[in-house]
Amino acid sequence: MSNTKTAMKPTEFLTKYAMIIALVAVFALFAGLTNGVLVSPQNMTNLLLQQGYVVILACGMLLCILTGGNIDLSVGAVVCFVGAIAAVMISNMHMPSIPVILLCLVVGLAVGMWQGYLIGYVHIPPFITTLGGMFIFRGLGRMVLESKTIAIQDNQFLDIFTTYIQVPGLDDGSTKYSALIVGIVIAAFVLFNTIKNRAARSRKGYTQNSAAADFGRAIIVCAVILWYCWMLSQYRGISVMLIWIAAICMIYYFITSKTAFGRYFYAVGGNEKAAQLSGINTKQIYFLAYTSMGLLAGLCGLLVTARIGSVNGNTGTSYEMDAIGACFIGGASAYGGSGTVGGAVIGALLLGVINMGMSIMGLGDAWQYVIKGGVLLIAVVFDVLSHSKSGGK
């Protein structure tokens, strides 16, 4: 018996890759409308840097959503609170940056643990808990700042999050060859991993896609990686912030797709009662989901502070909505139990392309809100209809 999977039907293909197709279509649309300005090396570099906080927050938000469509409304306020602590300690109190960074991460972790405990063990609804947290930490952030804007000029702090990799001998000229080398290495790893996975599935007799489908997808991914690294090489190379973003994405991808622990989040969202009966500690899963979210919000507070160079009482406003929107646009179910880190990243990039494209065209914030809201609504409607047709919730 053949262990090769039959060809995917067109409707299945469109359903599975709808958001990727949408991202490509929107990208091509704005590239045309901006006469190619969108795809300039500087804009391609800034795209991920501007959306970095969304990507990182979306990774944490995904775990919350997986547990049953739950969300965390407090992350934007926590970003402000942590950024305020960092700014005051570094600029006003002149403390060394490394201890401040560690302390700020502990603060974010503590916030997440506090909210996770209330949600997981006291059984306060996540919406109410995090709504309260949104007000509390926004207020605390403004109290720490004393309603002022505080700038950070500490070079060590800024370099940890915002500098660009410069390899002597490779990056001395206008082309930063280190970025190209990184792209080649990543592309080679993608191809090697594809070969390795197909060989492993073949040995075990598992059903798998055709070789053309798997290698075709791998080649497209490699082409995108190489093109993007070429764009980076034509500007300033690879930013340290990009490394932070990639590291968080890889960690959360590994947790959600390669570990039994990661599957617990899907199980709780799919059927909490069944998960309890199967021996999963659902209280602990809720606790860890929101603890993780707090830690990532703390990290984003540092990243945003370093990138902007200052903090005020409005820092982080609506960040929670961007992260939630990225998850749902990227295919996470509004009911919980399904969604991927890759999908959340695609959702964040789609929002970023829309924002950047409309900014280049000179459209105001009003249209950006309208378009982003429309895209989010369409994504959720698509998810609900897909569930209905498949006999889901």
Side-chain angles (χ1 to χ4, degrees):
M1 180 170 31
S2 173
N3 64 350
T4 301
K5 195 174 181 179
T6 58
M8 188 180 298
K9 296 179 181 179
T11 53
E12 294 175 344
F13 178 85
L14 290 175
T15 300
K16 185 174 182 180
Y17 297 107
M19 287 303 108
I20 297 177
I21 295 170
L23 176 60
V24 172
V26 170
F27 187 85
L29 174 64
F30 280 110
L33 292 175
T34 60
N35 296 318
V37 175
L38 177 68
V39 294
S40 68
Q42 182 175 354
N43 282 332
M44 285 297 94
T45 299
N46 289 337
L47 176 61
L48 264 182
L49 299 186
Q50 291 175 358
Q51 291 298 107
Y53 74 89
V54 181
V55 173
I56 292 176
L57 290 177
C59 289
M61 192 69 71
L62 177 66
L63 297 188
C64 299
I65 291 173
L66 288 178
T67 60
N70 301 306
I71 56 176
D72 188 338
L73 295 173
S74 69
V75 294
V78 176
V79 166
C80 175
F81 179 48
V82 171
I85 292 174
V88 168
M89 287 186 168
I90 292 175
S91 296
N92 293 358
M93 302 173 66
H94 306 292
M95 293 179 61
S97 57
I98 299 299
V100 170
I101 290 171
L102 295 176
L103 177 61
C104 287
L105 292 176
V106 170
V107 169
L109 182 66
V111 168
M113 292 176 67
W114 176 64
Q115 295 192 136
Y117 176 78
L118 293 178
I119 292 166
Y121 293 97
V122 185
H123 303 295
I124 298 176
F127 182 88
I128 300 300
T129 301
T130 59
L131 179 63
M134 180 177 72
F135 292 122
I136 291 170
F137 297 113
R138 178 66 65 185
L140 288 175
R142 291 179 177 177
M143 289 170 61
V144 171
L145 293 169
E146 297 180 345
S147 299
K148 301 175 182 177
T149 297
I150 299 180
I152 293 183
Q153 297 179 334
D154 184 280
N155 290 330
Q156 184 181 35
F157 177 81
L158 298 176
D159 288 347
I160 290 173
F161 297 110
T162 63
T163 191
Y164 286 80
I165 303 297
Q166 298 290 320
V167 179
L170 288 176
D171 301 329
D172 296 336
S174 58
T175 298
K176 312 303 179 184
Y177 289 101
S178 62
L180 290 176
I181 293 173
V182 169
I184 292 170
V185 170
I186 296 174
F189 174 78
V190 170
L191 287 175
F192 172 77
N193 199 49
T194 301
I195 296 170
K196 178 183 175 183
N197 287 341
R198 284 189 61 82
R201 294 181 70 86
S202 179
R203 283 197 307 270
K204 296 176 181 178
Y206 293 164
T207 299
Q208 60 182 332
N209 296 324
S210 65
D214 282 343
F215 285 109
R217 182 169 58 246
I219 289 171
I220 291 173
V221 170
C222 290
V224 171
I225 291 171
L226 291 173
W227 172 80
Y228 187 70
C229 287
W230 168 256
M231 286 288 138
L232 294 179
S233 73
Q234 297 305 297
Y235 181 52
R236 297 177 64 183
I238 296 176
S239 168
V240 171
M241 187 175 293
L242 187 59
I243 296 175
W244 280 101
I245 296 168
I248 295 298
C249 289
M250 287 190 291
I251 291 170
Y252 277 75
Y253 170 78
F254 179 79
I255 291 173
T256 55
S257 64
K258 302 296 183 181
T259 67
F261 168 71
R263 305 310 299 176
Y264 292 166
F265 293 93
Y266 292 90
V268 170
N271 190 320
E272 185 174 351
K273 285 293 183 183
Q276 287 178 326
L277 292 174
S278 66
I280 296 174
N281 187 340
T282 56
K283 295 179 180 179
Q284 185 183 65
I285 295 302
Y286 281 110
F287 174 77
L288 292 176
Y290 284 89
T291 298
S292 162
M293 186 73 262
L295 178 62
L296 292 187
L299 174 60
C300 281
L302 297 170
L303 289 171
V304 170
T305 300
R307 186 172 189 279
I308 297 175
S310 64
V311 185
N312 60 47
N314 293 321
T315 298
T317 299
S318 81
Y319 280 17
E320 61 278 352
M321 298 306 171
D322 289 338
I324 294 166
C327 290
F328 286 136
I329 291 170
S333 173
Y335 302 111
S338 68
T340 63
V341 170
V345 173
I346 290 171
L349 292 178
L350 180 57
L351 290 175
V353 171
I354 292 172
N355 288 339
M356 181 172 287
M358 288 192 293
S359 294
I360 293 172
M361 293 174 63
L363 296 178
D365 291 343
W367 276 109
Q368 294 186 29
Y369 282 118
V370 171
I371 298 298
K372 286 196 292 186
V375 171
L376 174 59
L377 184 59
I378 291 170
V380 175
V381 169
F382 180 82
D383 171 65
V384 171
L385 292 178
S386 298
H387 272 81
S388 298
K389 291 180 180 179
S390 63
K393 294 179 184 178

